């Protein structure tokens, strides 16, 4: 069985953190991320939970805007708080 080329949770987390850090440096206060976008951007195949797990564990404070019934899915949506009040 061929192992797919999906990134690890760690790689996905780094990708998200890099995005959020860059936005924070530009002065963006909040930013919304949808799991499906991360999946598409990183070409993740049949491993949406990897993206969801990375989103939950990237170290930024977030608010869950939408959670699919099973908790993980392409429509999972978080709003990250990038500014320290």
């Amino acid at each position: 069985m061929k192992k797919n080329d999906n990134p690890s949770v760690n790689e996905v987390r780094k990708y998200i953190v890099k995005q959020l850090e860059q936005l924070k440096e530009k002065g963006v206060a909040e930013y919304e991320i949808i799991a499906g976008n991360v999946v598409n951007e990183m070409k993740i195949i049949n491993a949406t939970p990897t993206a969801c797990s990375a989103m939950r564990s990237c170290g930024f404070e977030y608010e869950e805007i939408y959670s699919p019934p099973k908790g993980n899915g392409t429509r999972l949506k978080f709003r990250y708080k990038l500014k320290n009040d």
Side-chain angles (χ1 to χ4, degrees):
M1 195 168 115
K2 180 185 174 292
K3 183 188 177 298
N4 61 32
D5 295 326
N6 281 340
S8 68
V9 172
N10 229 1
E11 291 170 307
V12 180
R13 189 180 304 118
K14 278 184 193 158
Y15 173 80
I16 294 169
V17 167
K18 186 178 175 192
Q19 267 188 342
L20 294 175
E21 292 285 2
Q22 288 172 343
L23 289 161
K24 187 176 182 174
E25 283 171 23
K26 290 178 185 162
V28 176
E30 294 183 335
Y31 187 71
E32 292 181 5
I33 292 183
I34 300 168
N37 293 349
V38 175
V39 166
N40 292 338
E41 289 161 16
M42 297 196 74
K43 298 175 176 42
I44 298 170
I45 297 156
N46 296 333
T48 304
T50 300
C52 297
S53 175
M55 284 171 65
R56 288 190 175 93
S57 62
C58 68
F60 281 86
E61 190 185 329
Y62 65 84
E63 178 187 343
E64 207 161 299
I65 305 293
Y66 177 81
S67 182
K70 292 180 181 163
N72 286 335
T74 54
R75 296 196 336 240
L76 179 71
K77 184 176 184 179
F78 289 170
R79 180 182 297 132
Y80 291 95
K81 293 177 184 7
L82 305 181
K83 273 218 168 106
N84 301 333
D85 296 332

